[in-house]
Amino acid sequence: MQVTTPQLNACMICAPEMLALLSRRAKLAAWAIGSGGSAMTESTHISDSFGRTLRHILFSRATHVAIIAWIAINAAAYWLAGGVIPFDTPSMQRLPFTARMLVPTISLLEVFVLMAITFWLTRKRAIPNLAERAPDRRIAARETALLLAYATFAQVGGWLLGPALGYRAFSFHIAGTLFGCSVPPSLGEMWVWMSYNFICFALVPFLWFRQRYSALQLNLVSIAPRNDWRVIVVVMLVESLFELTGINADFFALSPHQMLVGGAMTLFFYGLGTVLPTMILIYAILLPRYLALTKSPIVTVILGGLTYAALHIVEGWSLFDSARWGSLSILFVLLQYVGPGMIKSVLTLRTGNAWVHAIGYHLIAPHLLIDTPLFVKALAIR
C-alpha cells in the first residue's frame, strides 16, 4: 500500500493531537489507580460449582496436612492439660473439661458452615484474582518477609511495653477479650493498648504500602457493593446467633444504657485496637501476597489463619510460668484463632474487599456482642 504526500502530511498534523489525547488518558488512568479508583482493570472469574470446589478442597494435600495438624494439636493439648485448664477465662470455667476441649473444634465446624454460606452468596458474582493485586513474586516475597519481621518485632514490643507500664502484655486482644477475666483492664490500659496496636499494626503499614499501591490493590475498594453488603449481613447474623446461643449471652443482661455506652466504647477501642490492625496487616497487605507466592487459595486461607493466630500468641489468659502451661497456652491460641483467621481469608478472597470480614465477622460479631459486658464491668457503667 502506497502512502501519498497529502496523507503523510495529514498524519503529521494529527500525530501531536493523538499523542496529547493518549497522554491525557494515561494521566487519568494513573490518577484513578493512585487514588484508589475503580479504573484499574483486573481479571475476574466465575466461581466453580460448589461440588467441584468441595472436591478440590477435600483432595488437596494442604487440606490433609491441616487435618492431621489439627488432630495432633488437640491431642497434644489434651495430654498437656491432664484434665486441668488453668487459664483465667471465667466464661469457659462453667464448662466441664471435655466440653472446653471440644469448643475449638465446634467453632471450626461453624467456620466451615460460614465458608459454605459465603460461597453460596458469592456464587453468581465475578471473583477477583487477588494475586494480580500483589507485585511480582520477587517483590512480594521480600515485602512479605519484611512485614512479618516487622510485625514480630512490634508484637515483642507490646509484650514488653505492657508490663513496663504496670499492665499485662499487649497482643491483638486486650485482657478479658471474649472470655472475660478476674481483673478487668483499666481505662489507661485500654488506651495504651489501642494506641499501640493502631499505630504499629494499622497506621504505619497502611501509610507505607498506600504510597506504593492503590486502595484496590490493598483490598480496600468494593467491586460489587450490593453483594458485599449481602455477605456482611448474612455472615453477621449467623455468627451472632452462634455466639449468643452457644458461647456467651451476657450482652442481653445489660441495661439499655449499658448497651449503648458500653457498646460505643467497645466499638471504638476494638475498632482501632484490633479490627483495623487485623484488616490492614493481614487481609489488605499479606493475603494477596500469600496467594501470589503460593498460587493456591487453600494454602492462602490456611496461612491467613496461622498469621491471625500468631498475632494473638500472648493473650491475657496465657500462662508462661512453666514449660507445660506455656506450651498449652500456645496450642490453645492456635485452636482458638486459626479458624476465625481462615474465614476472614475466605471472605476476603471471595469478595476482594477486606472491609467485608472487618464488619461482618469481627467488629460486631464477636466483639460488640461478646465484649461489651467487659467494658461495662471495667468502666463501672451503670
Side-chain angles (χ1 to χ4, degrees):
M1 177 179 178
Q2 295 183 347
V3 179
T4 65
T5 299
Q7 290 174 330
L8 182 60
N9 291 336
C11 290
M12 293 177 66
I13 294 173
C14 294
E17 296 181 1
M18 293 295 293
L19 290 174
L21 178 61
L22 290 174
S23 177
R24 287 195 298 270
R25 291 185 175 181
K27 290 179 180 178
L28 179 61
W31 173 85
I33 293 173
S35 63
S38 58
M40 178 179 177
T41 59
E42 62 176 359
S43 65
T44 58
H45 65 276
I46 301 300
S47 176
D48 290 334
S49 67
F50 181 76
R52 183 175 181 179
T53 302
L54 183 60
R55 287 193 298 271
H56 178 66
I57 294 173
L58 293 178
F59 287 100
S60 169
R61 181 177 299 178
T63 301
H64 301 162
V65 172
I67 292 173
I68 294 172
W70 185 263
I71 295 173
I73 292 172
N74 273 276
Y78 195 91
W79 174 72
L80 281 172
V84 177
I85 300 178
F87 307 135
D88 182 18
T89 53
S91 67
M92 300 297 290
Q93 290 173 355
R94 67 190 74 169
L95 299 176
F97 173 75
T98 302
R100 293 180 69 183
M101 291 298 302
L102 288 174
V103 165
T105 299
I106 295 172
S107 298
L108 184 64
L109 294 176
E110 189 254 350
V111 161
F112 292 152
V113 172
L114 288 176
M115 289 180 181
I117 292 173
T118 301
F119 182 92
W120 184 80
L121 291 172
T122 58
R123 69 194 185 282
K124 295 182 179 179
R125 66 173 284 168
I127 306 300
N129 183 0
L130 265 60
E132 293 183 352
R133 299 180 178 181
D136 65 71
R137 287 174 59 86
R138 180 180 59 83
I139 297 176
R142 183 174 71 245
E143 289 179 344
T144 300
L146 290 175
L147 186 58
L148 289 174
Y150 167 79
T152 300
F153 282 112
Q155 277 278 84
V156 174
W159 302 343
L160 299 176
L161 178 63
L165 297 177
Y167 306 133
R168 284 156 288 199
F170 294 149
S171 185
F172 260 47
H173 282 163
I174 197 167
T177 298
L178 298 179
F179 307 111
C181 59
S182 56
V183 180
S186 66
L187 184 59
E189 185 175 358
M190 294 176 184
W191 273 107
V192 177
W193 165 79
M194 181 270 290
S195 301
Y196 182 84
N197 278 8
F198 176 72
I199 294 172
C200 292
F201 298 107
L203 185 61
V204 171
F206 174 77
L207 291 177
W208 196 92
F209 279 90
R210 186 62 182 88
Q211 291 178 345
R212 294 158 176 82
Y213 301 98
S214 70
L216 181 64
Q217 290 172 307
L218 295 178
N219 302 333
L220 299 177
V221 176
S222 174
I223 62 173
R226 182 175 299 180
N227 185 258
D228 285 353
W229 278 111
R230 185 181 299 116
V231 173
I232 288 171
V233 171
V234 174
V235 169
M236 184 192 305
L237 290 176
V238 174
E239 177 64 15
S240 299
L241 181 64
F242 174 77
E243 290 176 351
L244 293 176
T245 58
I247 298 178
N248 194 333
D250 291 346
F251 182 82
F252 293 116
L254 303 177
S255 68
H257 179 261
Q258 289 174 323
M259 288 182 183
L260 181 62
V261 177
M265 298 290 287
T266 302
L267 291 176
F268 174 73
F269 281 101
Y270 277 101
L272 296 179
T274 189
V275 175
L276 286 180
T278 298
M279 184 186 76
I280 296 297
L281 188 70
I282 304 178
Y283 301 100
I285 302 173
L286 285 174
L287 202 70
R289 286 152 182 78
Y290 285 162
L291 186 59
L293 293 173
T294 65
K295 299 185 182 302
S296 169
I298 297 175
V299 176
T300 299
V301 168
I302 295 172
L303 287 176
L306 289 172
T307 306
Y308 183 68
L311 292 172
H312 297 79
I313 203 67
V314 176
E315 286 285 83
W317 44 261
S318 299
L319 293 176
F320 293 99
D321 53 357
S322 69
R324 175 188 177 187
W325 297 139
S327 299
L328 186 64
S329 297
I330 294 174
L331 293 178
F332 260 82
V333 165
L334 291 172
L335 293 174
Q336 181 65 39
Y337 294 115
V338 167
M342 289 170 59
I343 181 59
K344 295 175 192 293
S345 299
V346 169
L347 288 167
T348 306
L349 287 173
R350 295 291 296 184
T351 64
N353 184 0
W355 290 101
V356 171
H357 95 265
I359 302 172
Y361 190 87
H362 207 176
L363 184 61
I364 306 301
H367 288 308
L368 175 65
L369 298 179
I370 302 302
D371 292 317
T372 296
L374 172 68
F375 276 74
V376 169
K377 179 180 180 181
L379 304 178
I381 301 172
R382 304 298 180 187

